[in-house]
């Protein structure tokens, strides 16, 4: 069986799994073999392992809870609950008014169109459409003008 080789980058990327003992046996054997021959990776592993086992207080200071946090959160909640925001209410009032006006205009336009179509009889509507479609187009009119001019030239 051919022995796997790892590059220093790959060995370094395996550190977390190695430290937490999650590497499979084949990978663990390859990492150990690499660490025996590569001083750079061996130094990296030893320095990282010492950091992880006993963290330095300078890098990880003890955090203490803020004793006034609850008081500040309650004060902020009270302020926001009773705070008046005129722009917020004005914006929604204007949106509601504009929507109502748009609905009323649409209803009124619909009613006026309905009464216009109700006053026309079916024959009037058909004759209006016939007139619109039976009119000559601009191309037809120009062709008539050209034919008339050619007839006058002869």
């Amino acid at each position: 069986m051919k022995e796997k080789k790892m590059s220093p980058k790959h060995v370094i990327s395996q550190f977390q799994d190695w430290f937490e003992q999650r590497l499979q046996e084949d990978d663990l054997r390859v990492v150990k073999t690499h660490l025996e021959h590569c001083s750079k990776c061996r130094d990296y592993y030893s320095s990282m392992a010492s950091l992880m086992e006993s963290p330095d207080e300078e890098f990880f200071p003890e955090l203490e809870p803020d004793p006034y946090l609850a008081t500040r959160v309650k004060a902020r909640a009270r302020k926001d609950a009773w705070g008046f925001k005129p722009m917020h209410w004005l914006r929604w009032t204007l949106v509601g008014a504009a929507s109502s006006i748009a609905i009323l205009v649409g209803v009124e336009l619909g009613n006026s169109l309905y009464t216009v179509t109700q006053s026309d009889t079916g024959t009037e509507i058909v004759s209006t459409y016939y007139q619109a479609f039976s009119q000559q187009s601009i191309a037809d009119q120009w062709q008539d003008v050209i034919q008339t001019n050619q007839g006058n030239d002869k």
Side-chain angles (χ1 to χ4, degrees):
M1 184 166 134
K2 190 174 182 181
E3 186 70 30
K4 286 190 337 184
K5 281 193 156 193
M6 289 189 175
S7 68
K9 279 186 176 182
H10 191 244
V11 171
I12 288 172
S13 70
Q14 297 285 323
F15 172 77
Q16 190 70 32
D17 291 333
W18 173 83
F19 184 76
E20 295 174 357
Q21 298 175 355
R22 292 185 296 167
L23 281 178
Q24 295 182 5
E25 288 185 35
D26 294 339
D27 292 333
L28 181 61
R29 189 174 344 102
V30 172
V31 167
K32 283 182 179 180
T33 304
H34 182 86
L35 291 176
E36 288 173 3
H37 300 293
C38 181
S39 62
K40 178 182 171 186
C41 293
R42 189 172 47 247
D43 292 342
Y44 174 81
Y45 266 57
S46 64
S47 63
M48 288 300 292
S50 67
L51 254 177
M52 297 292 279
E53 288 172 354
S54 60
D56 190 7
E57 292 296 322
E58 180 182 324
F59 291 116
F60 302 105
E62 185 68 32
L63 297 177
E64 295 180 19
D66 182 5
Y68 302 107
L69 179 64
T71 307
R72 286 200 317 263
V73 168
K74 287 178 186 176
R76 182 68 185 253
R78 269 188 254 124
K79 178 184 170 195
D80 288 345
W82 296 103
F84 180 68
K85 298 176 185 172
M87 295 307 291
H88 179 75
W89 294 104
L90 179 64
R91 180 180 55 186
W92 285 110
T93 302
L94 291 175
V95 167
S99 300
S100 300
I101 290 170
I103 290 171
L104 289 174
V105 167
V107 167
E108 194 58 37
L109 282 174
N111 282 337
S112 64
L113 289 174
Y114 179 74
T115 56
V116 167
T117 57
Q118 290 299 318
S119 65
D120 290 341
T121 62
T123 55
E124 290 174 347
I125 294 173
V126 170
S127 67
T128 304
Y129 279 120
Y130 177 74
Q131 289 174 358
F133 286 116
S134 66
Q135 288 181 354
Q136 284 186 334
S137 67
I138 294 175
D140 293 336
Q141 291 174 3
W142 274 107
Q143 190 174 10
D144 289 345
V145 169
I146 292 172
Q147 287 176 355
T148 305
N149 285 341
Q150 286 176 352
N152 290 337
D153 290 340
K154 291 183 182 179

